[in-house]
Structure formats: structure tokens, C-alpha cells
Amino acid sequence: MKRFSGKGVNDAVAIGNVSVFKRAVGNVSRTVTDDPEREIKRVEAAREKAIGQLSKIYEKTLREFGQEQAQIFDLHIMMLEDYDYNESIQNIIRTQRVNAEYAVAVTCESFAKMFASMIDTYMQARAADVKDISSRLIACLCGADSEIGSGSGKTIICADDLAPSETVSLDKDRVMAFVTAFGSSNSHTAILARSMGIPAVIGAGEEFLSSIKNGDRLIVDGGTGELIIAPDEETEKAYLSKQQDSERKKALLCKLKGKPSVTKDGREIAIYANISGIGELDAALANDAGGIGLFRSEFLYLESDSFPTEEQQLAAYRKVLEGMAGRTVIIRTLDIGADKQIDYFGLESEPNPALGFRAVRICLTRPEVFKTQLRALYRASVYGRLGIMFPMITSVSEVEKCLAACEQAKSELKAEGLPFSEAVELGIMIETPAAAIISDRLAPMVDFFSVGTNDLTQYTLACDRQNARLEPFVDTHHEAVLRLIELAAKNAHNHGKQIGICGELAADTSLTKAFLKMGIDELSVSPPFVLPLKEAVRGIDLS
Ligand code: PEP
Ligand code: MG
């Protein structure tokens, strides 16, 4: 029995067997070979294997999802058979006398760069595909995994780190929990784990990763962050009973469904859910969310290999609005950049991505991308009660530009005879200190504010939320952050506007009373936190 610990991200326990996810690309080293022809034969064998895997995935996807979804794997097979791609690998092996893995990695990089720099958006999107196929090829060469949690049976995934796009692609029916050696508890990976209700521990350290192997029995305590490899019988029993306790607590909370979210002295507080895709809509409804306070629309883009079209976006937004049946749905416009990178956007890498080209900054410089999303949002607005929210606002002029883009989308739709609702509310996220400080200027321009405490904390305390080493310096209850929220609440109310909180701090019930005292009207949290928050609100007396 061996104990480790990391940051627990949700109050849930899992006990099961481990699958270690070894990432192939990124760990490739260059070695010199005296037999280049042998390396070429290795690539050929790996290519056959990769094509075999892809053919199987193609058949499965075709059976389960249809031709449209399956064709991407057909394209991947074609790319693996592409003459130029294979010639480049062989040339590098022969001329530089290097190992096959390195030649694939170098080819991947130059082909991905070439695709990303193309003007045609379809071709730009192929950068992601070339990375995908190269990663699979390297995995086949070195016996690493190309898919997270591939295989059968329930499992606990242990990995060095997971990107948000990898986390969303986890098969929730198979993955009981996941543990990462690196990463921080405020990252989008942690946020997604909370939403999915999967027990997870982040930042368990390198030693944990080197101590664990496939098939090991592991206890993951998502509450305390404890990890126990090969537990003895007594320990496993104790955690089993903890797991049952938390199931019982969940069942008790279910009794709150349908009851109003109202304080003891009668103040009604809207409790909404944060979702990252239509897949989480059921969880929001099952947990009795009064609305959607934050739909992170960028996950539509992250889950796609190319820009989602207006029709694809419309279908997704419509589904959420119809699913919520007239309750408020706040959809945030695209917020990529920083930890959420999408190859087909062809963004340059930046030395300081948290302070870089992200969110509304991308939308305002890529008007065609922004317009497609706004048109889809307005067209969806006839199916429910929609709020559109703009992230990473820092200035009056950014808000003006966002509002002008909305007007332009509306007038286009009008001219084309496409219906939309005039009742759409427009709001901004208060997630930069600048926005909070000038919230008196911003409040008259919009219908609502929503405080993004994750970024507001990062930017106020100057602590990169992706950097696990900074966690000891991040005081999530820091007075500076709380004062900025209070200031924004005061300015919102001075102008008769509503203010909510949709960052992770909204779920921190030790702050609920303080937030309500500041006048916060709405709290939006991951679906599993809706009922615990309702319990907290119903226990508060503000009089
Ligand atoms: C936030 O910053 O608090 C927020 C809700 O947005 P995200 O976590 O997606 O950046
Ligand atoms: Mg944010």
C-alpha cells in the first residue's frame, strides 16, 4: 500500500483498476541510427498498424454515428497513405540517419505549420489532423497509447496531464476517475471534472506517475486529494463506506429538487448550472438547475476538427434552449486561447498565453468567426430565453464593438428574413480587474454582469491559473478579489442591472452568505454543485 496526494477537485471517491495514459508525441527524442533501412521498415509496420486501428474506428463510428462523423477517420487513413508525408519521413531517416519516431515528429511539425499558415480554413483545419495521425503513428512505433482510456471495462485514468479537449473526450461510462501528475486545480481540466461528476485528483506529482502501472488497484479521493495504490482490505473497506456515505448524501440532496432557492428571510437567489456542451444538459436538468448561467461555447469548437458552421452551432444552441424550456440560458461567446488551443485557428504560440490573444480579442480580430457565432446565437434565440455573454472584457470600446457586431448580425438576419428574438439579453463577464474597476461605465451598456472568479483571481493576484507551483500563493478568498466583486455588484445595481457569479468560487458555500450580502442575484455552478448550493442558500438568514 502506497499513499500519495494531490488536489482533489470534487467530493467523490472511486476505487478501481488503473490505465496509465502515456502520451506519445512531445516525448520523442532524437537518436542516431546505423541502420536507416530498419527504421523505415519500422515506420511501414507502424503505419499498417495505425491504418488497421483507424479502419476499426471508422467502422464503429459509421455504425454508431453515421457517415458524416466517420469520414474524418477515412481522411486520416488517406493522410497516412499520402506520398509527400511518407517521403518526408523516409528522407529525414535516410539523410539524417535518425530514429523513426523523430522523423515522424519533425515531419508532423513542418506539415502542421504549412497547413496552419494556409488561407483556406478547410486546409488550416488539416493541421490538427496531421498532428493526430502523427501522434498515432508514434504511439504505434513506441507502444504508447493513442487514445485515452482505450480498451474495455471500467478504469481509472492516470496521466501526466490532460488537455481540456482530452478531458471532454473521456468516455464517462468507462472512466471512473482520473488522476494527473501535473496541472492546477483551477484549470479547465479540473472544472470539467467537476461538471462531469467524475472523481479527480490533479497535480499528484511525478513520483506518483512513476509508481503506478496498468492494472494497479487505486483509491481516488476527489475530496481530500488522497491517492492510495494497492490498498489493504481494511483501507478499501473504509473508502467503500465513504463512497456509500456520499451516495446517501446525494440522495438526501435530491429531496431539494423542486423546492425554491430562497433564503430563510425570503430572498430568492437564482441557482444556475455551468455547462461545456450539450452533453451536460441532462446533468443540469437532473440537478434541478434554474437555468444555464454559463455555456462555455468554445467546447463546440474544441470538439470539432474545423470551424463549426452556423447550422451546426444553431443546432447545439437550439438544443440547450429547448432543453431548458423557457428558463434562462446564458451562452458565452468563444473563449479560446490560453489553455484552450485549437489548431485550426492557426494561432501563433505566445510566451505568455494567459495574458495573450484569447476570447473576445480573437473574436474582434476575426470578424468572420465572430459573425458566424452571433448569427447562430440570434437564430437560436427564438427557441427559448437567451442571454449572450462576452468574455475577457477590459474596456468600454470592446463592449461597443461586441454590441455593434450583434447589431450587424441582426440586420443581416432581418435582410435575409431569418427570425430571431428581440428579447435577447446581452451581458459581459467581469473577469479582469479592469472590467470590475470600470464597472460603473460598463453597467449602462449591457443587461447583466457575470463574474468569472477563475480569471478574476488569476489576473488580480498575478498568478497563472495553469501553474500548479503557484497554488500556495493563490488565496481564493483574497480580499482584493472580494472587493472587486462587491464593487461590480454595487455598480450593476446602481444601474438596475443583474449580477451573477459563474466562476468556481460560486460553489464555495463558505462564501455564499458574503456573496448574497453583496447583492449577488445569481450563482452558477457545475451541475453536481447546484443542490448543495441550494441547501446552503436555504440555510442562510440575511436579516
Ligand atoms: C472564469 O474565469 O471564472 C470563468 C467562469 O471562465 P473560464 O473558467 O472558462 O475562464
Ligand atoms: Mg474566464
Side-chain angles (χ1 to χ4, degrees):
M1 189 161 90
K2 234 172 162 181
R3 288 174 186 269
F4 292 88
S5 70
K7 281 259 178 191
V9 300
N10 51 13
D11 199 8
V13 171
I15 306 168
N17 295 337
V18 161
S19 298
V20 179
F21 174 62
K22 279 194 237 147
R23 200 176 305 276
V25 176
N27 291 325
V28 170
S29 51
R30 181 185 195 272
T31 53
V32 173
T33 177
D34 52 8
D35 191 354
E37 292 313 311
R38 190 189 60 210
E39 292 303 301
I40 287 171
K41 278 196 189 120
R42 283 184 63 228
V43 181
E44 284 311 303
R47 199 163 65 94
E48 287 306 311
K49 193 173 165 191
I51 290 173
Q53 288 174 350
L54 284 166
S55 305
K56 278 195 195 139
I57 299 172
Y58 172 80
E59 292 300 333
K60 184 172 182 278
T61 316
L62 188 63
R63 257 194 328 272
E64 294 176 9
F65 300 97
Q67 178 64 32
E68 203 184 327
Q69 265 75 14
Q71 66 191 16
I72 183 72
F73 301 110
D74 206 20
L75 174 75
H76 281 192
I77 294 173
M78 275 160 54
M79 289 175 88
L80 272 172
E81 287 169 339
D82 178 72
Y83 179 81
D84 292 339
Y85 178 76
N86 286 298
E87 194 192 31
S88 163
I89 296 171
Q90 293 187 7
N91 276 345
I92 293 169
I93 293 175
R94 285 202 179 104
T95 56
Q96 299 186 29
R97 301 182 74 81
V98 287
N99 55 322
E101 290 87 345
Y102 179 76
V104 175
V106 172
T107 300
C108 168
E109 213 178 295
S110 70
F111 274 61
K113 239 187 207 153
M114 172 188 77
F115 282 125
S117 67
M118 290 182 176
I119 299 186
D120 183 79
T121 52
Y122 176 83
M123 294 312 286
Q124 279 177 5
R126 304 288 70 85
D129 295 314
V130 86
K131 284 186 188 170
D132 235 358
I133 59 155
S134 306
S135 168
R136 183 174 295 279
L137 196 51
I138 294 171
C140 289
L141 275 165
C142 61
D145 301 328
S146 45
E147 267 144 42
I148 308 166
S150 50
S152 57
K154 293 215 168 226
T155 189
I156 296 175
I157 302 292
C158 295
D160 51 357
D161 203 353
L162 292 176
S165 56
E166 290 172 326
T167 314
V168 278
S169 70
L170 292 177
D171 176 353
K172 285 157 219 123
D173 294 329
R174 287 203 49 240
V175 177
M176 305 160 71
F178 71 82
V179 182
T180 65
F182 309 106
S184 77
S185 56
N186 211 15
S187 63
H188 283 97
T189 298
I191 292 170
L192 286 167
R194 271 178 217 121
S195 282
M196 292 153 80
I198 296 182
V201 171
I202 306 272
E206 218 161 353
E207 205 190 325
F208 166 77
L209 202 59
S210 50
S211 306
I212 194 102
K213 54 185 190 318
N214 279 330
D216 277 351
R217 190 107 183 123
L218 179 69
I219 294 176
V220 179
D221 188 333
T224 61
E226 272 172 300
L227 297 161
I228 304 168
I229 304 175
D232 58 28
E233 215 174 304
E234 208 179 314
T235 313
E236 186 157 336
K237 243 187 185 161
Y239 274 90
L240 214 52
S241 102
K242 190 169 179 183
Q243 204 176 31
Q244 284 156 357
D245 278 353
S246 103
E247 291 302 322
R248 265 193 295 275
K249 205 173 149 206
K250 253 196 226 160
L252 274 177
L253 283 172
C254 279
K255 298 210 165 112
L256 288 178
K257 283 187 191 171
K259 300 224 166 105
S261 314
V262 64
T263 59
K264 277 182 184 309
D265 53 314
R267 203 171 122 206
E268 203 159 332
I269 305 298
I271 302 183
Y272 292 173
N274 294 342
I275 61 170
S276 297
I278 44 179
E280 286 178 23
L281 179 62
D282 286 345
L285 290 166
N287 285 284
D288 207 23
I292 300 296
L294 168 64
F295 177 178
R296 290 182 163 95
S297 71
E298 56 275 11
F299 281 89
L300 284 180
Y301 295 74
L302 278 160
E303 286 163 6
S304 174
D305 290 315
S306 53
F307 290 98
T309 62
E310 184 176 315
E311 296 302 324
Q312 284 166 338
Q313 293 191 53
L314 167 62
Y317 304 147
R318 176 179 174 171
K319 210 164 188 170
V320 179
L321 283 156
E322 286 183 336
M324 291 310 287
R327 282 171 274 181
T328 297
V329 173
I330 299 174
I331 302 181
R332 172 173 78 185
T333 57
L334 180 68
D335 182 3
I336 60 156
D339 63 326
K340 287 177 285 193
Q341 291 294 331
I342 302 180
D343 289 324
Y344 61 80
F345 270 77
L347 301 175
E348 279 173 28
S349 63
E350 298 171 300
N352 206 345
L355 297 178
F357 194 53
R358 62 171 286 201
V360 84
R361 298 170 185 181
I362 296 176
C363 290
L364 293 176
T365 27
R366 304 278 291 266
E368 74 293 353
V369 174
F370 200 21
K371 196 169 76 182
T372 304
Q373 181 167 39
L374 292 174
R375 282 177 57 105
L377 284 166
Y378 274 103
R379 285 178 64 192
S381 65
V382 292
Y383 299 103
R385 189 166 166 195
L386 175 67
I388 300 176
M389 175 160 78
F390 304 105
M392 276 294 285
I393 292 294
T394 60
S395 70
V396 167
S397 79
E398 284 164 358
V399 180
E400 281 168 352
K401 286 179 189 145
C402 290
L403 300 182
C406 289
E407 283 310 312
Q408 200 203 336
K410 276 175 20 183
S411 60
E412 275 188 19
L413 295 179
K414 216 175 255 171
E416 291 166 33
L418 291 167
F420 61 89
S421 163
E422 286 289 357
V424 174
E425 298 216 315
L426 298 176
I428 54 167
M429 293 198 65
I430 300 290
E431 55 181 347
T432 62
I437 291 165
I438 61 162
S439 50
D440 56 332
R441 304 267 321 275
L442 302 175
M445 304 177 75
V446 294
D447 299 307
F448 66 90
F449 285 163
S450 185
V451 183
T453 51
N454 309 332
D455 279 314
L456 187 61
T457 305
Q458 142 164 280
Y459 296 124
T460 306
L461 305 186
C463 284
D464 179 355
R465 64 194 269 196
Q466 291 302 115
N467 189 339
R469 282 177 66 199
L470 297 179
E471 295 219 0
F473 299 94
V474 179
D475 172 5
T476 53
H477 292 196
H478 198 292
E479 200 185 339
V481 177
L482 297 178
R483 281 200 209 179
L484 288 174
I485 300 174
E486 192 168 18
L487 176 66
K490 195 177 107 217
N491 286 326
H493 289 160
N494 280 347
H495 292 273
K497 306 296 166 74
Q498 298 266 306
I499 180 164
I501 300 179
C502 64
E504 295 299 286
L505 216 53
D508 183 340
T509 49
S510 70
L511 286 173
T512 310
K513 192 168 183 179
F515 289 149
L516 301 193
K517 278 190 167 165
M518 289 176 193
I520 297 295
D521 305 292
E522 168 238 308
L523 293 162
S524 191
V525 294
S526 300
F529 289 81
V530 169
L531 291 172
L533 184 58
K534 190 189 271 195
E535 187 185 39
V537 165
R538 287 168 63 87
I540 287 172
D541 191 344
L542 293 165
S543 59

